[in-house]
Amino acid sequence: MANSVNISIEAPIENQIQEITYDGQEIYQAPLSMSENLARLAQKIDFSKTEDEFCNIKKEGESSSDTKSDEDNKDQSYQSSLWPWDSVRNKLRSALTEVSVLADVLNIAKEKRYMVLDPVQPEKVESRPMVQVYGRKKALSAAAAVLQAGMERLRASETMRMARNMPDFHIDLLRLRQNWRLKKVSNTIIGDLSYRTAGSKFSQTGVFEVTKAPEEQIAQAMSMNTGGPPPSALRVTVPPELQGVAFISVLCQKEQEEVVTATLSASALSCTAGEGELHWQQRLEAAQNVLFCKELFARLAAEAVQLDASIPHMVVGNQIMATVLPGIQLLIGLCHNNGQTNANANVEGVKTEGSSSSGKSDHDHVLEHSLHQLLRAVHHANTHHPFPHPATGPLGPSKRRCLAGPMAADRYELLDMSKEQSLLEQIIQQAQHFFMRRRSEYVLDTIAKEVKDPLIVSHWNALNSPTQSCVKINIMAHGYDAVCRTSLVVHVGEKTLKCICRDGKVRHLSYELQELRDLIYCQIYQHQMTAVQAVGRCMGWQLLASSAHLGSGPVEPLGNASSCLLASPNGDRMIAIRCEPSVGIQVFIAQSPRKDFFSSELVQDKKWENLGGAFKEIKLDKMEGKNFLNKMELLMACLSSPS
Amino acid sequence: MSANAAPITATDSLSQALKANIIPNQEYLLQGSVLDSAVEVLLHRLRGLCDNVDAGPETFDDQEVCFSLRDPNHHQAPPLMLRVRKALDARDMPFQLRYIGQPDLGDKNRPTVVRSSLDIACSGMLIEFLNELGCRIEFEYSVKGYMFRKGRMKITVAKVFKISQNSMPPEPISQSYLVELSVLAPQGQDAIGEDMRAFADQLRPLVQLDKIDYKRLGHMSVS
């Protein structure tokens, strides 16, 4: 509370700064010397002002000559700036002359012999009050006439409106103003329906005009639909190029030989005929949509021409063709139905084919919505630049850009920051991902249908992005899912798949279906092998040997053969399992004291029968059991003998 | 793929940038103040006038420390003032080192104050570095308020606080908010001053934004 604060007072910098160098040094102007200072002050004296104050009897001729001489003096001071006292001397001399003349006149007038000073009465101004009164009365009556004429008109339109119960122009205009931006320009009301304030930089303007609907039309409309809503008193005129309905059609299809394929049937676009029937809100919204679609298509077409893809994109008329994956094309078209004459004739540049009845049914609404969202995101980024933190920073640079300095970003990082993906690239990526996802789904579904023995369960993640999805695949046998379960995760990208298996191996697959299919089959057979070993453990059987990549036997076309050898709890039985992805599973059993041992001359001792017999193959398809694991469990059960 | 030509050195690109006059090193400024009781109305008006109506006004909370560097040989020369500003609400943004020059006393008819201003983003070691150079702390304060933008113009409505030593909340130095309208631009773009003056006129009579001459601050009438 009673803190004393030191206050230091110092005079501010007296010398003007002439220049600031880039290292922050300030160079001051040298202060003026005494004589320079005096000369500067003397130049500032304005002699014309002092003359007017003292001499009231100045005639206009003399004052103009003074101003002329002032100008001369100014010119002179520009020319002879070496001697600033010249103008001062001239001024003083002329002042002296004037004062001497004045002194002489006063002396002569004081003597009263040759000159006398007399007071003069000012002239009286005649007052004419009646003229003023008449003038004011005339002006007021003119003003009253104007006001009365306006009032008569308003009263007439009001009574007419009340009589016929017609819609009010001003109320309708208020409603229009609540939804759209209007401006009054001289006599007309102009509105703007473009996305310019939302961040669009499209050059086409969306200007519409609002006028009063003629009364006959309103009366006619009211008499025609008595039950419906009353027509509005406004009429909006939309520019002709924005009339009608438009949408962007996005189609993914197999590659066709013809360059231009017709995709739109004229009946796909519905447009109510007639200008007067559509409410102004619908008409304005339709026009705004047309403008948006035009901007979107113009941007995509420009990008298609500029982008350097391996297979170049083609722009033909109102269609853009881009190759998404080998054999798959993406067709983006602008469909605009002007609706002026009959709908059939005005579909621009498209001929209908009988075979391609796909039309609007194949049109991908999701990708169209994505395109709309992408353009809106571009608009948003145009207006919402990040604010600087701290507040005195420059407006504009993003956070990464601000950090580029202190974090010592190199040239390549800076260039990367400035690159951004175009709309066409983004939509192509989304289309690619859509295809990859559909293909992966198809592969998994077919495998699940084909392979019944271990069950293939796939869980697709509910949360995904337009360019990435995730699926978790569980391979398990019915009834044995607690014993052994193999799972793997597949990340579906735009053109590649990434499989992460439980053992930690990450495999990157391309867009070919066959690779995923092969991988799943290999995983299935690996699962069988590990599951059998797990079941054996449960049953008490011992694992003698196992090999995941067996080198014996014929070369496998797909993957590697794997095998394992199990021994019963008391060691007298053995099961050998060989698993091959292309052939299937083969099971062999052997028992330890050989049943077919007969002593011969070479091998005489009886003890050699314990070495174990030959392996005999089991016909798995004749065995009882729901699935392979069940069969193995039953086999192990019946081979385990109590001892 | 053609091989890259010899890469442009940093000094070359810097001298090119200097010649092309694209470095924003001038600040055009108009300042004013409003009492605490009147600031809500001003904020409403600014929300209506400025860009980005959908998002709320951006708040900021900064702390500024002012250093001075004296030349040991020339004691009479005025010291070099440097300001270090950090954002307390965005800790991951870099510190800002700022040099503000004296206002350009050129034309009396210029609508705004024009002064040289250089902003450099620095890492957190800045204060130690300045101490090593020999700078001494002159004063410090904290600023908290709202930021708006309209095109290139930036408008801040903020309250200045004194930094207290212990962990007490900072106390304001006055019952009013400081309003600043500024544009950072390269040299020679004087047309922006007219736009700023037009915008400032739209904010009258809520706040009067004017050129403030610091030397004559003592003689200014309170109106």
Side-chain angles (χ1 to χ4, degrees), chain A residues 110-328:
Chain A
K110 197 172 67 169
E111 271 185 69
K112 288 199 180 75
R113 210 193 297 179
Y114 303 109
M115 202 153 74
V116 161
L117 295 171
D118 270 337
V120 173
Q121 295 263 348
E123 359 185 292
K124 268 201 201 155
V125 174
E126 239 179 80
S127 65
R128 293 215 222 129
M130 284 314 292
V131 175
Q132 279 180 350
V133 166
Y134 281 130
R136 278 184 198 151
K137 189 171 170 185
K138 206 168 176 185
L140 281 174
S141 62
V146 170
L147 285 171
Q148 209 147 18
M151 192 265 297
E152 282 300 329
R153 266 183 47 196
L154 277 176
R155 190 189 287 175
S157 71
E158 187 70 20
T159 49
M160 194 160 53
R161 190 182 71 78
M162 294 301 282
R164 294 205 224 166
N165 197 19
M166 293 224 285
D168 189 14
F169 175 74
H170 295 286
I171 300 287
D172 277 341
L173 190 62
L174 179 73
R175 297 236 171 74
L176 184 66
R177 193 133 193 256
Q178 282 170 348
N179 290 341
W180 303 88
R181 280 191 312 282
L182 296 177
K183 201 167 52 168
K184 187 156 196 286
V185 175
S186 61
N187 264 349
T188 51
I189 304 175
I190 301 270
D192 183 15
L193 50 76
S194 73
Y195 277 83
R196 200 152 292 183
T197 52
S200 161
K201 296 208 174 125
F202 197 40
S203 52
Q204 192 169 5
T205 59
V207 171
F208 64 93
E209 196 183 328
V210 181
T211 47
K212 206 164 175 170
E215 287 158 16
E216 306 87 39
Q217 209 178 39
I218 296 181
Q220 194 186 27
M222 281 182 66
S223 62
M224 273 174 33
N225 51 346
T226 45
S232 74
L234 300 173
R235 189 205 302 195
V236 292
T237 316
V238 162
E241 62 264 13
L242 296 181
Q243 274 176 7
V245 194
F247 72 97
I248 300 269
S249 83
V250 183
L251 278 168
C252 292
Q253 60 180 37
K254 296 261 184 313
E255 201 153 332
Q256 316 242 345
E257 272 93 33
E258 302 105 53
V259 168
V260 175
T261 58
T263 55
L264 175 67
S265 56
S267 61
L269 286 171
S270 63
C271 173
T272 58
E275 282 189 353
E277 291 181 10
L278 263 189
H279 190 53
W280 43 259
Q281 181 69 15
Q282 273 109 21
R283 199 180 290 147
L284 289 173
E285 280 179 2
Q288 197 175 46
N289 191 36
V290 170
L291 186 60
F292 188 78
C293 291
K294 280 193 172 208
E295 177 180 0
L296 183 55
F297 191 79
R299 204 183 160 105
L300 286 171
E303 285 169 3
V305 171
Q306 274 173 2
L307 272 182
D308 194 19
S310 53
I311 304 176
H313 312 300
M314 284 202 290
V315 181
V316 178
N318 263 0
Q319 274 197 344
I320 301 173
M321 259 177 288
T323 308
V324 167
L325 290 172
I328 312 263

Side-chain angles (χ1 to χ4, degrees), chain A residues 440-497:
Chain A
S440 319
E441 275 173 15
Y442 173 70
V443 165
L444 290 174
D445 285 345
T446 14
I447 294 180
K449 273 189 267 184
E450 285 169 4
V451 178
K452 290 290 194 297
D453 187 358
L455 298 170
I456 319 286
V457 181
S458 44
H459 293 289
W460 286 85
N461 266 11
L463 293 175
N464 49 22
S465 83
T467 49
Q468 194 177 24
S469 307
C470 231
V471 58
K472 182 154 187 209
I473 303 167
N474 284 330
I475 305 174
M476 60 177 134
H478 177 66
Y480 294 89
D481 44 350
V483 172
C484 183
R485 178 202 287 229
T486 305
S487 44
L488 58 144
V489 172
V490 178
H491 293 278
V492 183
E494 294 125 26
K495 272 187 148 180
T496 57
L497 299 168

Side-chain angles (χ1 to χ4, degrees), chain A residues 21-32:
Chain A
T21 58
Y22 274 101
D23 58 1
Q25 225 178 3
E26 295 169 344
I27 301 177
Y28 298 98
Q29 268 177 359
L32 298 170

Side-chain angles (χ1 to χ4, degrees), chain B residues 1-60:
Chain B
M1 283 273 277
S2 62
N4 284 340
I8 313 171
T9 61
T11 48
D12 283 344
S13 46
L14 186 60
S15 49
Q16 265 178 16
L18 282 173
K19 264 185 251 164
N21 199 23
I22 56 172
I23 300 179
N25 58 354
Q26 300 268 53
E27 187 190 23
Y28 296 78
L29 181 67
L30 283 175
Q31 288 170 313
S33 80
V34 277
L35 290 176
D36 280 349
S37 48
V39 80
E40 278 300 317
V41 185
L42 176 65
L43 288 175
H44 274 290
R45 182 129 175 88
L46 280 170
R47 276 192 79 170
L49 282 176
C50 296
D51 292 346
N52 300 346
V53 179
D54 49 347
E58 178 95 356
T59 57
F60 70 94

